[in-house]
Amino acid sequence: ALIWSKMSTGLPIDILSAMKAQNYISFCRLDIDIHKNIPHIHLHEKRDNKDRWHGAEIQVTIEGNWTTYRSKIIHYMRQMAVITPYAQFLFRYISGTPEKNVTIRFARRTDVMPPAPPETKYHPSAVDLLLIKRLIAETSKQNLLQFLQHEFVSIGKAYAERLIGEMGPDFTPKMSVKSLSPQQIVRIHQLFRQAKFDDPSGECLSPAGEYNLRLGIVKELHPDMVATYEGSPQIFEGHPFIVEAGVSLGGKDVKQGINVFRFANRIPLLFEQGGDVVTRTAMKRISWNSYKINQAQDKIGVFVSIVSTKIPFKGTGKEYIGDDITEIASAVKSAIKQCCVQLKSKIMKRQQARERQERKRNLTKYIPDASRAIYDVLKEVVQLRSPKRPKFGDDYDEILEKVTSREITESTLREKLTQHVEQVDIEMALEYATQTGITQEARETTYMRALEGCQNFTDFHSPVCVIRLFH
């Protein structure tokens, strides 16, 4: 945003920020020296914070073609609101004519933010020659053994000694790391490419989380159904990555067919959609019909967020992620399919509930005719009954006596048949719930306000909710 404003208007940006309970606001006005890639600070000062406001606010002035790109800008803001439901966005477009003004507010729906990722060291499989040279220049370690142990993950003391032994006779554990020749550094890089290392963990990543992704989708699209899934950390070229996915059906402002929403490190991707791994997977590699979803007629929202220490963008514009990395393509397909499995279960439950309702409606429709016919038969039997004829049996004779005494009438039969249909419907529903382990109850989406005053709490995360325990 800063570079774009510098290129289009030349105006600096204003930044306001304050921490909770801070009695001042930090204000900074700056732009950037594009050639030297360094900030140029015009003003940096502290301001009074009487209202105890906290947060961050950035004001930027950018020149552009609103008429042409209006839909893209609003779409970008909407996607940001989906992936960050803990943030509030207020967008205003002010025109020369008041009737053309646009104001859109994307409200905050939670204060549960993704955990901040801890700093991590480089994985040996992910470094190149230039990075190794920079690490050697910046390291405080004296010898090669310490350098390998402390500057990289997945290298312990024993494995570092083994690696040094495999580098050749010119290398020793105690040799100074600063004295390495260019040829020796190349040899280290080659060995890093050849050797096997433990995979890096995903602790250094900060995905949005299923709770936030689901909440964002529900908040902005209001779908009929939604399913979310977060995959386990995986590796490509020494870099960990996590794929989060959501699939929704129905909703407002959603077109028929597949609508793809792509995110890279929680940033929306708008352009070059056709070549992206998410689009190609959703369009060509998912058999939607097998999950009871009509690809052409249903309103399908596909949300995929890829989080990694290195996003493999294609091109300098960083607009899309290529389809040529097998690990990422496989993880995206698996995440979408997991969501589809959840939706299929929900769709089948809904279909079965509809079938039960239809069966109940059909049975109820015939109750008046059935009760009238039964009562006519009973009346005819009563009239034909003679003391000389053998009895039908105690139970039947009791029923006939009740018909004679008007305890059983057409209306009482209708009432009993209606109760029986209701009871059968309840028993079938309970039997289904017992078999599946799920009870269907009326549900309502609830948003709870945050307790600003209480800071001492612990969050327990699950895919569908976060329970906050206050101490």
Side-chain angles (χ1 to χ4, degrees), residues 75-102:
H75 186 52
Y76 181 87
M77 298 297 292
R78 191 186 190 195
Q79 286 191 234
M80 283 294 292
V82 167
I83 201 68
T84 55
Y86 45 84
Q88 175 175 284
F89 298 97
L90 175 63
F91 177 79
R92 286 196 186 101
Y93 170 74
I94 301 173
S95 174
T97 53
E99 60 269 15
K100 293 184 178 179
N101 291 351
V102 176

Side-chain angles (χ1 to χ4, degrees), residues 8-20:
S8 61
T9 66
L11 296 174
I13 66 172
D14 293 345
I15 304 170
L16 294 159
S17 63
M19 303 290 284
K20 277 190 177 181

Side-chain angles (χ1 to χ4, degrees), residues 328-344:
I328 291 181
S330 176
V332 168
K333 180 180 178 181
S334 175
I336 295 175
K337 287 177 71 174
Q338 288 291 336
C339 294
C340 291
V341 169
Q342 296 176 43
L343 285 179
K344 181 180 179 181

Side-chain angles (χ1 to χ4, degrees), residues 337-354:
K337 287 177 71 174
Q338 288 291 336
C339 294
C340 291
V341 169
Q342 296 176 43
L343 285 179
K344 181 180 179 181
S345 175
K346 294 180 181 180
I347 291 169
M348 291 182 68
K349 288 181 190 129
R350 182 173 288 187
Q351 286 178 347
Q352 288 166 344
R354 253 197 314 264

Side-chain angles (χ1 to χ4, degrees), residues 130-422:
L130 291 176
L131 181 55
I132 295 175
K133 290 180 179 179
R134 181 167 68 82
L135 291 175
I136 290 173
E138 295 174 356
T139 187
S140 60
K141 304 305 174 185
Q142 298 300 316
N143 59 53
L144 182 57
L145 180 64
Q146 293 175 338
F147 172 73
L148 294 177
Q149 273 185 263
H150 296 283
E151 297 294 343
F152 301 96
V153 295
S154 303
I155 299 181
K157 183 178 180 181
Y159 198 53
E161 291 174 344
R162 179 181 165 187
L163 288 173
I164 293 170
E166 292 181 8
M167 290 177 189
D170 296 336
F171 295 85
T172 62
K174 297 297 183 182
M175 70 183 299
S176 172
V177 70
K178 304 286 187 181
S179 66
L180 290 170
S181 66
Q183 291 79 13
Q184 288 175 317
I185 296 174
V186 170
R187 174 58 186 145
I188 292 173
H189 179 246
Q190 289 174 344
L191 189 61
F192 279 175
R193 290 295 181 186
Q194 296 167 1
K196 297 291 184 182
F197 300 95
D198 291 338
D199 290 338
S201 71
E203 294 177 357
C204 59
L205 304 178
S206 181
E210 277 194 70
Y211 170 76
N212 279 328
L213 182 59
R214 180 188 295 268
L215 186 59
I217 295 170
V218 170
K219 175 174 75 80
E220 293 302 322
L221 273 70
H222 302 284
D224 300 326
M225 290 184 185
V226 63
T228 54
Y229 176 78
E230 180 181 320
S232 57
Q234 299 187 49
I235 308 297
F236 80 96
E237 296 180 359
H239 292 277
F241 72 93
I242 292 175
V243 174
E244 303 172 285
V247 178
S248 65
L249 294 177
K252 68 173 186 178
D253 301 329
V254 182
K255 299 176 183 177
Q256 281 187 327
I258 297 176
N259 302 265
V260 177
F261 299 80
R262 303 169 293 137
F263 306 91
N265 281 339
R266 306 209 305 269
I267 300 298
L269 303 177
L270 296 186
F271 302 101
E272 304 290 347
Q273 182 167 301
D276 193 273
V277 61
V278 176
T279 305
R280 291 194 174 186
T281 300
M283 295 292 187
K284 299 178 180 179
R285 299 180 189 134
I286 303 296
S287 177
W288 296 98
N289 288 334
S290 62
Y291 300 104
K292 310 292 184 183
I293 300 172
N294 190 316
Q295 183 175 348
Q297 296 181 1
D298 289 338
K299 296 179 178 180
I300 308 167
V302 178
F303 306 80
V304 175
S305 172
I306 300 174
V307 183
S308 178
T309 51
K310 180 183 178 182
I311 299 291
F313 290 112
K314 289 294 182 181
T316 56
K318 296 186 176 181
E319 299 293 353
Y320 72 103
I321 299 171
D323 192 32
D324 55 347
I325 298 176
T326 306
E327 296 91 340
I328 291 181
S330 176
V332 168
K333 180 180 178 181
S334 175
I336 295 175
K337 287 177 71 174
Q338 288 291 336
C339 294
C340 291
V341 169
Q342 296 176 43
L343 285 179
K344 181 180 179 181
S345 175
K346 294 180 181 180
I347 291 169
M348 291 182 68
K349 288 181 190 129
R350 182 173 288 187
Q351 286 178 347
Q352 288 166 344
R354 253 197 314 264
E355 289 171 1
R356 287 200 305 271
Q357 289 293 328
E358 185 67 25
R359 185 168 53 250
K360 180 181 174 182
R361 190 162 46 246
N362 290 336
L363 289 171
T364 305
K365 182 172 66 175
Y366 293 112
I367 284 176
D369 294 335
S371 57
R372 190 181 306 113
I374 293 170
Y375 187 65
D376 289 343
V377 170
L378 290 173
K379 283 199 303 182
E380 189 173 344
V381 172
V382 169
Q383 293 171 359
L384 295 174
R385 188 172 61 164
S386 170
K388 296 180 180 180
R389 293 189 178 182
K391 292 186 177 183
F392 296 100
D394 292 340
D395 292 338
Y396 292 105
D397 286 335
E398 183 182 352
I399 292 172
L400 294 176
E401 289 294 335
K402 288 182 178 180
V403 172
T404 305
S405 63
R406 302 287 294 172
E407 284 186 56
I408 295 178
T409 62
E410 185 179 335
S411 61
T412 58
L413 285 171
R414 188 182 302 120
E415 183 182 342
K416 290 292 184 182
L417 284 172
T418 302
Q419 290 176 359
H420 179 71
V421 169
E422 291 283 351

